[in-house]
Amino acid sequence: MPPQPHRPATLAWQVFRGSDAVRRGLLTRHQLRGASWIRLLHDVYADARLDRDHRLTCQAALLRLPPTAVIAGPSAAYLHGVEHAASFTDEVHVLVPREGRVGSHTGIRVHSADPVEAGPAPVPIGASPASATVGAGLRPVPVGLGRRPVPGRAAATATPDTTTATVSPTAATISPTTASPNPTTASVGPTAARAASGASGRGGRSTVIRPASGAGCRAGGGGPIPTSDPARAAWETAVWLEPVRAVGIVDTLLREGLTSRDALAVVADEHADRSGGRRARWVFDLADPGAQSPPESHLRVRLVLAGLPRPVAQHPVRLPGGLILHPDLAWPDYRVAVEYDGQWHADAEQLHRDRYRLNQLVAAGWLVLHVTSRRLHRDFLGVAREVRSALFARGWRHP
């Protein structure tokens, strides 16, 4: 039989600093290089049974940063439930106070920020009461434990700016595995948090109290992760990412009900005078919660950036028999529609239903174009040219 992997109970299902584990005698440097552990960042390791996703890299990043750091932007959007916002190998976006002077770290994109006066404390993602003790001197830091994040609200402690430290992402790519949770980090409600730390909160939102790091091994448990709330994460994403990708993330935040147009308007007003404020408003204006997938969002935005009139996502078209169809993108005034054919169209039965539906749309006088994933990524200029010709044939003229 193969030898059993050496996993001290203290480090099972954890993210931890390798140097701390070696100093405490839990592992040797040779054992750290074994198959039981995965290296996430410099001196940060994790139980190899944990899922390889962006949540895990967020938890690793927290062990390289001061307790005032907040997961932000697309990384926060991922933790709120937008799975396409970031991947395991993407950089973790974090906000830190400007006076914190945090240097760059490989795999972490550090954004400096100014504190918000009387702002709410960070709100945890996936908070749960502590059910285990990591050990004396351990610093609990949130860890993803093979489970998808539960969408929820959080509040950042800082107002984001666009000053960043640019670093390269981690390059490791390993197939994910599923693990069982072993939570070790506690979260407390706002009343207890204020009593313990003297911090103020808003609206009864819960607050995280991070235990001070000691001289022992710093490990992570299945507790909460401090993040920007969904609306603020949308603003950060709009400012930090290129617009096509940013709009796709904001579309999903809106579609899933994680934020709203009103909330986006509020955060845009709050940051109107900050660097990136105009860009964020522009991205918010391009967002459409009707988009059913990131590629549909990307196609819509790229067509607009190509100078075409803005299409409507999932516009309802009532046919003479009473059936209502919803093409992916539509220009109702010109009766032109575009359908994005993604990988799911490989299903024969779905393809049959889809083509039958679109044939009815054509019979009703609509001009329907199809765009595949390959053409979106390899021949977008040709796609834009075809859509422009179709609109021109139906009476559209460039202003």
Side-chain angles (χ1 to χ4, degrees), residues 30-337:
H30 176 73
Q31 289 170 331
L32 269 178
R33 294 191 291 268
S36 298
W37 316 106
I38 177 176
R39 182 181 182 274
L40 300 172
L41 298 172
H42 174 67
D43 195 35
V44 180
Y45 295 80
D47 190 322
R49 296 171 294 179
L50 293 169
D51 275 355
R52 273 68 155 180
D53 57 18
H54 194 65
R55 183 182 178 96
L56 189 64
T57 53
C58 287
Q59 295 139 5
L62 290 176
L63 279 175
R64 299 290 305 171
L65 298 168
T68 52
V70 175
I71 303 298
S75 296
Y78 177 89
L79 294 175
H80 285 295
V82 183
E83 294 191 6
H84 64 85
S87 69
F88 176 60
T89 56
D90 285 338
E91 293 174 318
V92 176
H93 289 258
V94 298
L95 276 175
V96 296
R98 196 176 301 277
E99 65 274 12
R101 297 183 180 180
V102 176
S104 63
H105 298 277
T106 299
I108 305 174
R109 180 68 64 91
V110 179
H111 304 266
S112 61
D114 294 320
V116 176
E117 294 183 4
V123 176
I125 290 290
S128 60
S131 61
T133 301
V134 180
L138 300 183
R139 178 196 176 199
V141 173
V143 174
L145 300 166
R147 298 183 295 179
R148 290 299 178 194
V150 178
R153 284 201 168 271
T157 57
T159 300
D161 202 345
T162 55
T163 306
T164 63
T166 305
V167 293
S168 301
T170 53
T173 303
I174 302 178
S175 300
T177 57
T178 302
S180 301
N182 180 24
T184 57
T185 302
S187 65
V188 298
T191 302
R194 286 193 296 270
S197 64
S200 61
R202 293 180 185 172
R205 295 173 175 173
S206 58
T207 304
V208 181
I209 292 183
R210 292 173 179 254
S213 58
C217 177
R218 297 165 66 197
I225 299 178
T227 70
S228 299
D229 66 57
R232 194 176 298 269
W235 191 92
E236 295 157 353
T237 297
V239 174
W240 298 341
L241 300 188
E242 55 88 15
V244 174
R245 184 180 169 202
V247 171
I249 294 172
V250 177
D251 280 357
T252 304
L253 287 168
L254 289 169
R255 184 180 70 246
E256 298 300 322
L258 297 168
T259 190
S260 65
R261 291 283 190 187
D262 289 343
L264 295 184
V266 169
V267 75
D269 288 342
E270 289 176 350
H271 304 315
D273 297 330
R274 301 190 68 84
S275 177
R278 292 180 61 184
R279 176 189 177 96
R281 284 188 184 275
W282 175 64
V283 168
F284 290 171
D285 183 62
L286 286 174
D288 190 330
Q292 297 299 298
S293 70
E296 290 179 24
S297 298
H298 300 165
L299 175 59
R300 185 186 78 250
V301 176
R302 293 185 69 180
L303 289 172
V304 172
L305 295 179
L308 297 174
R310 179 173 177 168
V312 181
Q314 304 297 317
H315 174 72
V317 179
R318 182 179 295 274
L319 301 181
L323 179 65
I324 299 178
L325 301 179
H326 298 82
D328 293 336
L329 301 176
W331 291 264
D333 292 343
Y334 307 104
R335 298 172 76 81
V336 173

